[in-house]
Amino acid sequence: MGAKAKKALKTKLKKVAAASQAAEKNEAAAAADYLPLEGGKGRKIPEGKQAEGSTAKATVLYIGRIPHGFYESEMEAYFSQFGKIKRLRVVRNRKTGKSKHYGFLEFEDPEVAAIVADCMHNYLLFEHLLQVHLIPQEQVHPKLWRGYFKYRPVDRVKIQRRRQNKERTLDEHKKMVQKIMKQSKKRQRSIEAAGLDYVCPEIVGEVLQAPKKIKFAED
């Protein structure tokens, strides 16, 4: 057997070995109930006690200690492997839109919700231990999903740019120039009170006068 034939045989054997390893991984993933977020082998859902009372029909989960970067889209992509998600909400600050690091998740099947509560409680995620609890149906607040929305970050730079570049009336321009001149004088007084020999640059601007009304002679 020549050198070329040996090289071709080695390449073929490597391909066969890689294909067999990939097939084994796919079989293991199919046998597993869910895949961990950090990667690695799939895991089986532990056999737990059946829920009793109102929690047996509970479909809403409380999720606490949500880490930074694990928001609506990431949570939906991860938890959808357990079952179909009906609603998902990450509680956010109404003014800033930042996450308050807790939220609520609702599944269509109560059995799936119970399994998620058993599997994901105290699950280490980005150095945070997730706190996952079932909420009984009678304890679910009627306004929990009211006003639910997917957060869209506000472009405050764009808002300020529009506000700054908008066309102003003569009165608005007058007020703006007066405000700037007042701030400049206050700054100059503060500098003089500090004993510094410095004169602020002169502000180029003026308060425009209102145009005079022209009276036309009647014919």
Side-chain angles (χ1 to χ4, degrees), residues 173 176-178 180-181 202-208:
H173 177 77
M176 183 187 69
V177 174
Q178 287 177 349
I180 293 172
M181 298 295 289
E202 184 179 355
I203 296 175
V204 179
E206 58 179 354
V207 177
L208 300 177

Side-chain angles (χ1 to χ4, degrees), residues 36-219:
L37 188 66
E38 67 273 11
K41 296 182 179 179
R43 300 181 183 179
K44 297 290 288 183
I45 295 173
E47 296 181 1
K49 296 180 180 180
Q50 293 183 354
E52 298 179 357
S54 59
T55 55
K57 298 181 180 180
T59 57
V60 180
L61 292 167
Y62 164 82
I63 304 176
R65 293 185 59 84
I66 298 174
H68 175 68
F70 192 62
Y71 300 138
E72 287 89 351
S73 57
E74 292 82 7
M75 291 176 67
E76 185 177 1
Y78 181 71
F79 285 107
S80 60
Q81 65 180 322
F82 291 95
K84 191 171 182 180
I85 296 173
K86 190 175 180 180
R87 284 178 288 194
L88 169 66
R89 179 182 182 183
V90 175
V91 180
R92 294 179 176 272
N93 186 301
R94 290 186 179 182
K95 186 175 182 180
T96 63
K98 292 183 178 180
S99 170
K100 291 187 177 181
H101 302 287
Y102 72 94
F104 301 93
L105 180 66
E106 183 179 7
F107 286 96
E108 290 191 352
D109 191 350
E111 294 181 0
V112 173
I115 289 170
V116 173
D118 291 336
C119 293
M120 300 305 297
H121 182 58
N122 286 330
Y123 182 82
L124 183 62
L125 179 66
F126 300 132
E127 300 181 0
H128 286 253
L129 288 174
L130 290 181
Q131 301 298 305
V132 184
H133 302 285
L134 276 172
I135 303 177
Q137 286 183 327
E138 63 273 10
Q139 294 184 13
V140 177
H141 199 280
K143 296 183 180 180
L144 176 62
W145 305 108
R146 184 177 295 180
Y148 163 71
F149 67 99
K150 286 191 175 181
Y151 171 68
R152 295 179 181 178
V154 180
D155 190 351
R156 301 192 180 277
V157 176
K158 188 176 181 180
I159 294 172
Q160 291 296 331
R161 188 186 299 117
R162 285 181 179 177
R163 187 179 299 173
Q164 190 70 22
N165 296 338
K166 71 175 183 178
E167 293 184 3
R168 293 179 173 83
T169 62
L170 194 61
D171 291 337
E172 290 175 344
H173 177 77
K174 183 178 179 180
K175 289 180 181 179
M176 183 187 69
V177 174
Q178 287 177 349
K179 184 179 179 181
I180 293 172
M181 298 295 289
K182 186 177 179 181
Q183 291 175 349
S184 177
K185 290 178 181 178
K186 184 178 179 181
R187 190 184 304 112
Q188 185 63 41
R189 287 196 299 267
S190 300
I191 293 172
E192 292 175 356
L196 300 175
D197 186 12
Y198 178 78
V199 179
C200 294
E202 184 179 355
I203 296 175
V204 179
E206 58 179 354
V207 177
L208 300 177
Q209 296 181 356
K212 295 181 180 179
K213 294 181 179 179
I214 304 173
K215 292 184 179 180
F216 295 93
E218 294 181 0
D219 294 337

